[in-house]
Amino acid sequence: MDALQDQFAIRVRDLVVGFGRQTVLDHLSLDVRRGEILGLVGASGGGKSVLMRTIIGLIPRRSGTIEVMGQPTGGHGRGAATIWGILFQQGALFSSLTVRQNVQFPLRENLVLSQELMDEIAIAKLEMVGLRAQDADKYPSELSGGMTKRVALARALALDPPILFLDEPTSGLDPIAAGDFDALIKTLQKTLGLTVFMVTHDLASLTTVCDRVAALADGKIVAIGPMRELLQSEHPWVRAYFHGKRSQMLQHEMR
Ligand SMILES: Nc1ncnc2c1ncn2[C@@H]1O[C@H](COP(=O)(O)OP(=O)(O)OP(=O)(O)O)[C@@H](O)[C@H]1O
Ligand SMILES: [Mg+2]
């Protein structure tokens, strides 16, 4: 692996993805640096979830290349679960499994471990995301929204992957719970050296936890950099997004 490759956790080049006549991603290129938290913004229906799902191999691409940790995607085979953890936008947990069983699910799928060891790992992961051992026997229907996100995060991190994909992790949470979740992501990035790819509309998340922000418009990344650079962007969509009436109001209140 050469030094340049080593710098990036994810490299996307000239990616084209579509469904029928619709082209969603149109020659999109994007680099995610190792160890950074990259925030992705874009219009609703613009292709953020499609990009994430294409990188992890759930949606086929028409053309272009994707490398994750220096290897083309598809090259990881069943080992992929040890490379990335995922928090999907919708429906995070298996409702018929307890919290403990949800967190153990990737372990069962990928490793052969004693029940005792799996129980230890599950408790350790729950504590890592700020939950208690007593929560392990609850079912998803017995959890708050914030707890559900944390359990999903514990499950995503069960196999200690170096990359974490988050699709709107704070949507549906109140501002305090969202702030706590953001702080948790930042702590995990620092302590575990995680690379985090985060789709979010949350201006507070973009400002406080993201090292860089990428903007997706017209099927491409039209701006990328630290939030203060994005705020200077001349791109019409990026300007409208960050300087439109609604976000002005929010930014005013954040001051
Ligand atoms: N499996 C699929 N089959 C057909 N079309 C799809 C599929 N998945 C997504 N699309 C289409 O691709 C486009 C991009 O969808 P995507 O879910 O990526 O948007 P998004 O940027 O994540 O939006 P949001 O912010 O609302 O979550 C939409 O027009 C959507 O209808
Ligand atoms: Mg989406």
Side-chain angles (χ1 to χ4, degrees):
M1 206 183 289
D2 65 34
L4 191 66
Q5 268 184 329
D6 206 28
Q7 213 183 320
F8 300 108
I10 303 169
R11 305 194 66 163
V12 178
R13 282 291 168 282
D14 258 328
L15 179 66
V16 180
V17 177
F19 304 97
R21 283 194 198 158
Q22 183 191 12
T23 301
V24 177
L25 305 179
D26 189 10
H27 297 278
L28 179 147
S29 295
L30 172 67
D31 288 329
V32 184
R33 297 175 184 157
R34 288 200 188 203
E36 78 171 338
I37 301 183
L38 181 84
L40 179 67
V41 298
S44 185
K48 302 179 298 297
S49 297
V50 165
L51 173 59
M52 195 179 110
R53 287 171 165 271
T54 307
I55 294 172
I56 62 184
L58 294 178
I59 294 177
R61 57 183 182 259
R62 288 191 177 149
S63 59
T65 58
I66 303 173
E67 277 179 21
V68 179
M69 299 311 255
Q71 272 197 54
T73 43
H76 302 289
R78 274 183 65 80
T82 61
I83 310 259
W84 53 61
I86 308 154
L87 212 74
F88 286 107
Q89 190 171 7
Q90 270 130 10
L93 302 176
F94 300 112
S95 57
S96 62
L97 301 183
T98 63
V99 164
R100 183 197 316 272
Q101 289 165 338
N102 265 285
V103 176
Q104 289 173 346
F105 191 83
L107 303 173
R108 267 183 224 287
E109 290 280 287
N110 292 279
L111 304 170
V112 181
L113 298 175
S114 69
Q115 187 59 48
E116 200 184 353
L117 186 52
M118 285 208 294
D119 287 345
E120 271 178 35
I121 295 173
I123 298 302
K125 297 297 169 190
L126 288 173
E127 285 176 351
M128 190 169 81
V129 299
L131 294 171
R132 298 160 310 168
Q134 297 99 287
D135 298 320
D137 295 313
K138 291 184 174 152
Y139 283 88
S141 61
E142 299 168 319
L143 304 174
S144 73
M147 289 168 85
T148 304
K149 301 270 187 191
R150 284 170 193 262
V151 176
L153 186 60
R155 187 178 63 185
L157 296 174
L159 292 163
D160 302 316
I163 303 178
L164 184 61
F165 289 95
L166 306 171
D167 199 347
E168 300 198 17
T170 57
S171 73
L173 300 184
D174 71 55
I176 294 172
D180 289 348
F181 194 87
D182 279 343
L184 172 61
I185 296 297
K186 194 81 195 169
T187 303
L188 294 175
Q189 174 216 19
K190 282 200 195 129
T191 54
L192 305 175
L194 286 177
T195 302
V196 182
F197 181 98
M198 174 159 80
V199 175
T200 184
H201 288 296
D202 191 329
L203 278 175
S205 304
L206 292 167
T207 312
T208 58
V209 296
C210 294
D211 297 303
R212 293 193 303 157
V213 176
L216 172 60
D218 307 321
K220 296 179 180 61
I221 300 299
V222 295
I224 183 165
M227 187 61 180
R228 59 174 187 283
E229 278 178 29
L230 272 266
L231 291 172
Q232 311 288 321
S233 170
E234 300 283 323
H235 189 278
W237 184 86
V238 180
R239 280 189 63 83
Y241 189 83
F242 291 116
H243 302 284
K245 269 216 181 94
R246 210 174 140 84
S247 68
Q248 283 292 337
M249 254 158 41
L250 281 168
Q251 284 175 39
H252 182 73
E253 278 167 23
M254 275 159 59
R255 263 179 228 133

